[in-house]
């Protein structure tokens, strides 16, 4: 614990513990500043009560406690945030007057919040879910919120569908479960009736929705936005965040187990990384294009279920975000931060993407409910920092910044108060708007399968298998066979082999007919490597965690070498011992662990080393947590280093061991050579050799 001070205590009459004023003399007071004499006993009549209504200290304390909660976000409730900066690496003043992009080297402070979408505030981090990726830039010209996701497309094309989508995926209303899961009837029922979701569903079933870390996922603005110049020129822009540590995901079986072993895995990972000075970074890149490109592109740039392949419009880096400070207080910062898509600054404009227009209404509205009044913009986490906030808004809940004096209107003849400024002020993109009032979806939004197919075909074989397995898992949780069949009908429009694999995995004997399509799906779109995680292989072990299991009698020098090599590689080491009081090294010293074996599951680490004693360690393989530690590491394709632990490993009965993912550290490889191998993240060969249903005569998987 940080700054732990041994409390000075005394016992009260009833034996209860009282703690006297802390060493820095801070005294406990009520909200009125009155010093509290006794924080352990309420005011009673006699020794045993009843408690007196007169006890205003008790009543105030309980009253405040009773009102501590605010409504959680209706979506994206589970999240974590951090402070940082954005540094412009390439000025683009020719494209936009947005303050952060005017000069190279310009720094803009920011706050980022990452989240899952579906689960409640207390749900586990590793749910299969889209991740929110929201950034508030405190620019010199006001706050700009880029509220994106880690997936570049979305489920729906029109905001009027959003409440239904969210109702369908959230816990079912009669039973209140399942929590933080799309694997249930109502979600897949809705999806089966919403073909425009098919592209997003491919992403959702891919490894993108089980990231290893927030630090290792991409972010996307999703919608087409506009860059605007001072003279009113405009280009279209799509925003992309690229993680400097590369992309990495966990396996589904790891995700399921991490949720139990450490439900705060992603929160803790971000917190630890920033605290230990490994500040995560993302490159902000843009795809910039004009109306001519928009007119020629095969899909509508206003359709949020479509992306523009990077191969077609290459990304241009314009800056780097670094997260370098954890929050001082989770509630005040992460919980009260109020992102709003309509928070833009001069130079950033909206396109006519209907989903974006809908969001521009929703976010302001939802903050009012969540934060309880219209003054939430004045909370320190939401207030502008690079420029003053000056207006005639007044009163409302919790107002603290009413303008002094008589004048709270504009224009006024008193010569006081803020005035509009047509030169510095925000000017919307002029464009023209024309058309009938009508509830209609444009025909240019009608193709729902072509980019879904492009995404699937752009994946490696391993990733395609994961998508099929995810679909089999999710649909296998549906109770209604009709829903499973309907989804397979859509999959047939995306890629036939995938549909057949999923149908086999679900035990569907007669393939359903393909779903009817508004326009025929295209099969001529070129694949795009940028859509695959594994086609952009990670080349570093930086930012990863090595778990070292110590058995009694281990060689401390090897542990030292591993720690030094990890430091060099920008990685960290966590030590696991059989018991919490540590493992004995070969010299008789005791090394305290970061985890005892029962709590230090191998799913929490990126690669594993076992340091055995000089003698026969095989007996420890009889201990279920030890065997499970190794079995999981092996089955999850982890790289495994070992030293003097052969008997233990043999008795763990790991099928196929040793393979190319095992490294003997007593001669074959040095610690740093082993860590260099770990940069490949997983021994994919071992994973592709794992048996599946087909090996046991089921289906055709
Ligand atoms: Fe959101 N979304 N959303 N969303 N969204 C919210 O606002 C909404 C959409 C996203 O860390 C809510 O403050 C509608 C797309 C993130 O605080 C709410 C529609 C994308 C966050 C809301 C969408 C997002 C939210 C709930 C369809 C990716 C968390 C709490 C028109 C580009 C921000 C809140 C944070 C949060 C509405 C679709 C991303 C209800 C109506 C598309 C990252 O206003």
């Amino acid at each position: 614990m940080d700054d732990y001070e041994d409390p000075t205590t005394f016992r009260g009459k009833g034996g209860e513990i009282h703690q006297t004023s802390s060493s820095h003399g801070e005294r406990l007071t009520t909200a009125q500043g009155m010093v509290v004499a006794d924080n352990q006993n309420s005011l009673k009549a006699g020794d045993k009560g009843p408690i007196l209504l007169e006890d205003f200290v008790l009543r105030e304390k309980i009253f405040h406690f009773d009102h501590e909660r605010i409504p959680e976000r209706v979506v994206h409730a589970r999240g974590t945030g951090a402070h940082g900066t954005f540094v412009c690496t390439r000025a683009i003043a020719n494209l936009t007057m947005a303050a952060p992009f005017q000069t190279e080297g310009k720094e803009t402070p920011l706050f980022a919040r990452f989240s899952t979408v579906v689960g409640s505030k207390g749900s586990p981090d590793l749910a299969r879910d889209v991740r929110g990726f929201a950034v508030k830039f405190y620019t010199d010209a006001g706050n700009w919120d880029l509220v994106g996701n880690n997936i570049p497309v979305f489920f729906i094309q029109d905001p009027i569908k959003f409440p239904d989508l969210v109702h369908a995926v959230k816990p079912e209303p009669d039973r209140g479960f399942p929590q933080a899961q799309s694997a249930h009837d109502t979600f897949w029922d809705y999806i089966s009736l919403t073909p425009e979701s098919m592209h997003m569903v491919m992403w959702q079933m891919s490894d993108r929705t089980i990231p290893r870390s927030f630090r290792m996922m991409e972010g996307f603005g999703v919608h087409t936005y506009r860059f605007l110049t001072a003279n009113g020129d405009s280009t279209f822009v799509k925003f992309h965040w690229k993680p400097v540590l590369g992309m990495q995901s966990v396996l589904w079986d790891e995700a399921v187990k991490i949720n139990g072993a450490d439900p705060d895995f992603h929160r803790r990972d971000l917190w630890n990384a920033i605290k230990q000075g490994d500040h995560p970074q993302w490159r902000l890149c843009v795809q910039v294009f004009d109306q001519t490109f928009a007119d020629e592109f095969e899909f509508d740039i206003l359709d949020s279920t479509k992306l523009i392949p990077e191969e077609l419009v290459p990304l241009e880096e314009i800056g780097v975000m670094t997260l370098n400070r954890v929050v001082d207080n989770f509630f005040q910062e992460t919980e009260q931060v109020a992102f709003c898509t309509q928070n833009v600054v001069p130079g950033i404009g909206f396109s006519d993407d209907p989903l974006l227009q809908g969001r521009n209404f929703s976010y302001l509205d939802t903050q009012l409910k969540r934060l309880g009044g219209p003054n939430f913009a004045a909370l320190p986490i939401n207030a502008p920092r690079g420029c003053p906030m000056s207006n005639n808004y007044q009163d409302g809940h919790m107002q603290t910044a009413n303008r002094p004096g008589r004048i709270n209107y504009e224009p006024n003849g008193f010569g006081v108060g803020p005035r509009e400024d047509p030169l510095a002020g925000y000017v919307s993109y002029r464009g023209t708007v024309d058309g009938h009032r009508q509830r209609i979806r444009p025909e240019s939004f009608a193709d729902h399968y072509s980019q879904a197919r492009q995404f699937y075909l752009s994946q490696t074989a391993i990733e395609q298998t994961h998508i099929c397995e995810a679909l089999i898992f999710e649909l296998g949780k549906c109770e209604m066979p009709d829903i499973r069949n309907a989804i397979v009908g859509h999959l047939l429009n995306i890629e036939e082999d995938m549909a057949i694999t999923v149908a086999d995995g679900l035990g569907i004997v007669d393939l359903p007919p393909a779903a009817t399509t508004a326009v025929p799906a295209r099969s001529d779109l070129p694949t795009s490597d940028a859509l695959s995680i594994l086609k952009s292989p990670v080349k570093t072990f930086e930012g990863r965690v090595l778990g070292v299991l110590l058995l009694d009698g281990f060689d401390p020098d090897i542990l030292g070498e591993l720690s030094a090599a990890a430091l060099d590689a920008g990685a960290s080491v966590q030590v696991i011992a059989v018991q919490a009081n540590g493992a004995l090294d070969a010299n008789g010293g005791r090394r305290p662990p970061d985890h005892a074996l029962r709590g230090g599951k191998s799913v929490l680490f990126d690669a594993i080393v076992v340091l055995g004693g000089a003698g026969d360690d095989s007996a420890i393989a009889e201990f279920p947590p030890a065997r499970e530690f190794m079995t999981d590491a092996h089955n999850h394709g982890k790289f495994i280093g070992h030293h003097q632990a052969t008997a233990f490993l043999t008795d763990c009965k790991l099928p196929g061991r040793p393979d190319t993912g095992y490294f003997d550290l007593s001669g074959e490889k040095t610690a740093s050579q082993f860590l260099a191998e770990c940069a490949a993240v997983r021994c994919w060969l071992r994973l592709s050799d794992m048996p599946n249903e087909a090996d046991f005569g089921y289906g055709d998987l």
Side-chain angles (χ1 to χ4, degrees):
M1 194 191 295
D2 302 328
D3 310 325
Y4 185 76
E5 77 177 19
D6 206 9
T8 315
T9 57
F10 68 90
R11 277 185 188 276
K13 248 171 76 187
E16 75 283 354
I17 304 281
H18 291 260
Q19 195 177 328
T20 56
S21 304
S22 59
S23 55
H24 49 282
E26 189 179 341
R27 292 188 301 185
L28 185 72
T29 76
T30 63
Q32 307 306 319
M34 188 209 76
V35 175
V36 174
D38 184 341
N39 194 32
Q40 309 304 323
N41 298 296
S42 44
L43 189 67
K44 301 183 193 79
D47 278 0
K48 297 188 181 174
I51 291 175
L52 297 176
L53 192 59
E54 185 188 321
D55 190 351
F56 60 93
V57 176
L58 168 73
R59 279 190 292 120
E60 185 195 82
K61 185 175 177 183
I62 299 278
F63 142 82
H64 197 276
F65 169 75
D66 287 347
H67 298 274
E68 275 176 7
R69 298 287 172 271
I70 61 172
E72 67 173 32
R73 288 166 173 83
V74 61
V75 283
H76 295 267
R78 170 81 179 172
T80 195
H83 297 270
T85 56
F86 174 80
V87 176
C88 177
T89 52
R90 197 185 125 210
I92 47 167
N94 55 324
L95 293 174
T96 172
M97 60 197 287
F101 309 133
Q102 296 308 293
T103 45
E104 205 176 301
K106 165 86 182 162
E107 272 194 37
T108 305
L110 56 80
F111 185 77
R113 182 174 181 272
F114 307 111
S115 48
T116 54
V117 180
V118 176
S120 295
K121 239 177 97 174
S123 58
D125 279 350
L126 264 290
R128 177 181 289 286
D129 200 353
V130 181
R131 298 301 186 285
F133 194 122
V135 181
K136 187 182 281 293
F137 295 82
Y138 302 98
T139 89
D140 301 344
N143 290 350
W144 171 37
D145 295 352
L146 184 55
V147 196
N149 279 343
N150 75 330
I151 287 178
V153 289
F154 200 64
F155 289 100
I156 48 171
Q157 296 173 322
D158 194 296
I160 202 167
K161 288 168 164 261
F162 191 66
D164 296 298
L165 167 72
V166 174
H167 287 175
V169 71
K170 282 268 186 182
E172 298 183 15
D174 55 351
R175 58 208 71 184
F177 59 81
Q179 176 57 250
Q181 285 194 53
S182 53
H184 58 120
D185 279 326
T186 57
F187 174 71
W188 287 102
D189 175 39
Y190 182 80
I191 292 298
S192 74
L193 299 166
T194 313
E196 72 209 56
S197 296
M198 288 307 145
H199 185 195
M200 178 71 170
V201 163
M202 287 293 102
W203 285 81
Q204 186 202 0
M205 293 298 107
S206 80
D207 298 342
R208 298 270 177 164
T209 48
I210 39 174
R212 153 68 178 85
S213 158
F214 292 132
R215 301 175 293 138
M216 299 169 201
M217 65 183 198
E218 294 186 324
F220 302 90
V222 177
H223 313 282
T224 298
Y225 286 86
R226 279 185 179 279
F227 272 154
L228 305 167
T229 65
N231 58 18
D233 292 338
S234 168
T235 42
F236 292 117
V237 57
K238 277 184 177 277
F239 295 100
H240 299 241
W241 295 105
K242 293 277 182 185
V244 168
L245 291 176
M247 275 187 284
Q248 186 181 325
S249 287
V250 299
L251 302 177
W252 177 237
D253 189 61
E254 287 178 301
V256 169
K257 290 173 174 164
I258 291 171
N259 277 340
D262 184 4
D264 303 299
F265 188 69
H266 281 159
R267 289 185 168 190
R268 194 187 308 282
D269 168 270
L270 189 72
W271 178 275
N272 286 349
I274 296 175
K275 277 287 204 186
Q276 67 201 27
D278 295 336
H279 298 156
Q281 293 189 309
W282 288 259
R283 299 185 297 115
L284 179 62
C285 302
V286 287
Q287 285 180 302
V288 177
F289 51 96
D290 58 14
Q291 189 63 53
T292 314
F293 171 86
D295 294 340
E296 286 167 2
F297 182 51
E298 42 228 324
F299 302 102
D300 201 317
I301 59 131
L302 303 180
D303 174 356
S304 280
T305 67
K306 305 296 185 306
L307 53 80
I308 303 177
E310 291 179 25
E311 289 78 1
L312 209 56
V313 180
L315 302 192
E316 297 170 56
E317 178 187 316
I318 55 172
V320 174
M321 166 168 80
T322 306
L323 298 183
N324 53 22
R325 185 161 62 86
V326 297
V327 293
D328 291 325
N329 184 276
F330 183 86
F331 180 82
Q332 276 177 216
E333 294 153 78
T334 308
E335 202 53 19
Q336 294 202 120
V337 66
F339 292 98
C340 292
T341 49
Q342 78 280 5
N343 288 353
V344 288
V345 292
I348 307 286
F350 309 114
S351 70
D352 290 342
D353 176 343
L355 216 58
L356 177 57
Q357 307 277 333
R359 294 179 72 200
N360 286 346
F361 166 75
S362 176
Y363 287 65
L364 185 61
D365 187 47
T366 208
Q367 309 307 354
L368 182 70
K369 171 76 182 171
R370 220 163 58 75
L371 298 166
N375 291 314
F376 61 82
L379 292 169
I381 192 68
N382 294 323
R385 295 184 190 168
C387 54
M389 173 159 68
S390 186
N391 52 49
N392 292 312
Y393 300 165
Q394 78 164 41
D395 303 354
H397 279 287
M398 308 295 168
Q399 176 64 271
T400 56
N402 273 350
R403 178 170 292 286
R406 295 170 74 187
I407 310 304
N408 60 356
Y409 55 90
E410 193 271 343
N412 67 67
F414 290 82
V416 293
R419 291 276 194 275
E420 65 199 23
D421 179 347
L423 290 180
Y426 185 87
V427 180
S428 300
Y429 176 65
R430 271 171 71 81
T432 50
V433 183
D434 187 22
H436 300 286
R437 283 188 189 84
Q438 51 191 357
R439 293 184 184 275
I440 150 177
R441 197 80 56 84
E443 276 190 27
S444 54
F445 282 32
D447 179 345
H448 304 319
Y449 299 100
S450 304
Q451 281 206 342
R453 177 182 173 81
Q454 180 181 40
F455 176 79
Y456 183 75
L457 293 179
S458 299
Q459 306 301 306
T460 60
I462 293 168
E463 291 169 305
Q464 289 181 342
T465 306
H466 288 174
I467 292 174
C468 293
E469 288 173 351
L471 282 160
I472 295 168
F473 173 90
E474 296 261 323
L475 296 170
K477 293 268 182 186
C478 292
E479 291 164 12
M480 317 270 288
D482 288 354
I483 296 175
R484 291 199 283 269
N485 283 333
I487 295 293
V488 172
H490 288 291
L491 301 182
L492 281 165
N493 288 334
I494 300 174
E495 214 279 327
E496 198 179 355
D497 286 347
M498 169 183 58
I500 292 172
T501 305
V502 173
D504 278 350
L506 291 167
I508 294 176
V509 180
D510 297 320
L511 265 191
T516 44
T517 62
V519 293
R522 294 175 50 167
S523 54
D524 60 334
L525 297 182
T527 56
S528 161
D529 286 352
L531 303 180
S532 151
I533 296 177
L534 296 182
K535 286 184 184 169
S536 315
V538 174
K539 297 194 184 72
T540 170
F541 199 59
E542 190 183 344
R544 274 73 181 176
V545 183
L546 179 68
V548 183
L549 173 61
L550 302 180
L551 303 181
D552 276 351
F554 74 91
D555 181 344
D557 293 343
I558 304 276
L559 181 60
E561 283 167 30
L562 283 166
S563 304
L567 197 68
D568 269 2
S572 50
V573 170
Q574 289 185 17
V575 163
I576 308 102
V578 176
Q579 289 183 319
N581 70 342
L584 283 175
D585 67 26
N587 308 325
R590 190 168 281 281
R591 162 75 205 224
D594 300 296
H595 307 266
L597 199 46
R598 282 186 193 274
K601 312 272 181 197
S602 60
V603 288
L604 302 177
F605 313 108
D606 295 282
I608 298 297
V609 169
V610 194
L611 300 186
D616 180 356
D617 293 313
S618 55
I620 195 71
E622 300 300 316
F623 180 45
R627 212 173 43 245
E628 182 201 310
F629 184 92
M630 290 316 305
T631 308
D632 271 352
H634 179 85
N635 288 348
H636 297 147
K638 298 219 156 107
F639 288 112
I640 297 175
H642 52 95
H643 181 256
Q644 296 179 347
T646 321
F648 167 64
L649 289 176
T650 307
D651 279 28
C652 282
K653 300 194 172 54
L654 306 163
R657 188 194 73 84
D659 57 28
T660 52
Y662 279 82
F663 298 95
D664 188 347
L665 301 182
S666 46
E668 185 200 333
K669 290 268 183 221
T670 63
S672 42
Q673 284 168 337
F674 168 65
L675 281 183
E677 298 283 349
C678 292
V681 176
R682 265 176 228 283
C683 177
W684 292 111
L685 206 62
R686 187 189 310 150
L687 288 176
S688 52
D689 285 347
M690 292 276 169
N692 57 39
E693 286 89 334
D695 295 311
F696 305 100
Y698 290 93
D700 208 11
L701 194 80

